[in-house]
Amino acid sequence: MITREPHQDDVLSLYSFRTDLNEDPKKEKDNSKNGDLINIFFLIFLYVIQAVPFGVASSIPLILSSRKVSYSDQGVYSIAMWPFSIKLLWAPLVDRFFIQKIGRRKTWVIGCQFVSGLIMICLANYVNKLIDSNEENKKNNIYILTLIFGVLVFLCATQDTALDAWSLDLLMERNAHYQALCNSMGMGIGQFIGNAGFLIFESVDFSNKIREFLNLKQQDFGIVNIK
C-alpha cells in the first residue's frame, strides 16, 4: 500500500472547502443586492447630471419664441441637437482612447461632465446677452448659440455613450437589465430639471406668484435665469 504525506495544497483546499461550508449563501446574495442597489442609485445620479445640459439646450427654442425669433432661425438652432442622434459615429473612439490611470469609462464620463459644467458657468452670462440682443444681431447670434449648445449636446452624447458602457460593467450580470431603468429615469429627471423646471422658474409671472405667496417684492425677472 502506497501512502504519502499530506501536501500543503491539500490542507489549503480542505480549509477552503470548510470555509465555504460555513458561509451563508443567502447573506452573500443579500450583500450583492445591496452593492448593486448603491450602483443603481449612483448611475441614476450620473444620468441626471448628464441630462441637465441637454434639457437646458432643449429649452432654448421656447425662450427664443418668447423673444419673437423667427421659425427659420429656430430651425437653424435645431442643428445643435443633432449630436445626440449621431453619437454612434464616434462611439468607437470613446471605447478606444482613454487615460489609463483614470479608466476606460471614467475618462470620458468625468471629462465630459467637467467640461460641460465649465462651459455653462463661463458662458452663462454671454448666452443670456445673445438671447436678449437687438434685432440687428439676432441672425449672427443664432449661429453662436447653435455652436455653444451644439458643443454641450456633443459632450452630453459622448458622456452618454461612455456611461451606458460603464453601467454594464458596474452592475452584476443578473441585474444588467436595470441599466435601462437607470437611463430612462435619470435622463427623464435631468431633462425635466433642465427644460420644464428651468422654464417654469424662468417665467416672470410664475416667479411673481411665488414671491406674492412668500410676501416678497415683485420683480421683472424670474427666480432663475440662464446666467
Side-chain angles (χ1 to χ4, degrees), residues 1 17 38 43 83 101 116 119 129 154 175-176 194 201-202 204:
M1 182 177 181
F17 176 74
I38 295 175
L43 288 173
K101 291 183 178 180
S116 297
I119 291 175
K129 291 179 179 179
F154 171 80
N175 295 328
F201 290 99
E202 194 266 347
V204 177

Side-chain angles (χ1 to χ4, degrees), residues 54 78-90 153-154 157:
F54 184 81
S78 66
I79 298 174
M81 312 306 293
W82 285 7
F84 214 90
S85 302
I86 58 176
K87 60 184 178 180
L88 289 178
L89 294 179
W90 60 88
V153 174
F154 171 80

Side-chain angles (χ1 to χ4, degrees), residues 59-120:
S59 69
I60 296 299
L62 296 176
I63 298 177
L64 295 176
S65 296
S66 66
R67 305 298 197 276
K68 308 301 180 183
V69 175
S70 65
Y71 290 123
S72 61
D73 289 340
Q74 294 183 43
V76 171
Y77 176 81
S78 66
I79 298 174
M81 312 306 293
W82 285 7
F84 214 90
S85 302
I86 58 176
K87 60 184 178 180
L88 289 178
L89 294 179
W90 60 88
L93 298 178
V94 174
D95 191 65
R96 176 67 178 83
F97 299 100
F98 59 94
I99 301 175
Q100 190 71 35
K101 291 183 178 180
I102 299 178
R104 182 184 297 270
R105 316 300 182 191
K106 288 187 285 186
T107 297
W108 294 98
V109 173
I110 297 174
C112 291
Q113 189 62 52
F114 176 79
V115 176
S116 297
L118 193 63
I119 291 175
M120 294 183 71

Side-chain angles (χ1 to χ4, degrees), residues 9-23:
D9 292 341
D10 297 335
V11 177
L12 292 177
S13 177
L14 181 61
Y15 175 77
S16 176
F17 176 74
R18 289 178 177 176
T19 304
D20 293 339
L21 290 178
N22 293 332
E23 290 181 354

Side-chain angles (χ1 to χ4, degrees), residues 9 21 28 30-32 35 81 99 104 107 119 144 169-170 174 187 206 227:
D9 292 341
L21 290 178
E28 182 180 355
D30 292 340
N31 290 336
S32 65
M81 312 306 293
I99 301 175
R104 182 184 297 270
T107 297
I119 291 175
I144 299 175
D169 294 335
L170 284 177
R174 65 186 176 203
M187 291 291 290
F206 182 81
K227 62 180 179 180

